[in-house]
Amino acid sequence: MRFILIIASIILLIVGILGLFPQIGWAHVQLWRSILEIVVGGLVLFIGAKKR
């Protein structure tokens, strides 16, 4: 389960960061959604990495 959380959070972080750049058409979303994806991805990564 922890492995799935870490993979999902990394994907959220990558898509959120790519969403900040309008040059990448397929990943471009609104600014608030991109920031939300980065924050949620970071929180899930923190929780997934901390959980033992």
Side-chain angles (χ1 to χ4, degrees):
M1 182 69 174
R2 188 173 92 180
F3 181 72
I4 294 171
L5 282 175
I6 292 172
I7 296 297
S9 64
I10 290 172
I11 291 171
L12 268 175
L13 284 172
I14 291 171
V15 171
I17 291 170
L18 289 177
L20 294 174
F21 301 103
Q23 297 88 356
I24 304 171
W26 64 269
H28 182 67
V29 293
Q30 294 176 348
L31 180 63
W32 65 269
R33 183 175 170 190
S34 180
I35 293 172
L36 184 65
E37 287 177 353
I38 293 170
V39 169
V40 169
L43 285 174
V44 172
L45 182 63
F46 178 73
I47 292 168
K50 190 174 180 180
K51 196 173 190 178
R52 293 181 188 229

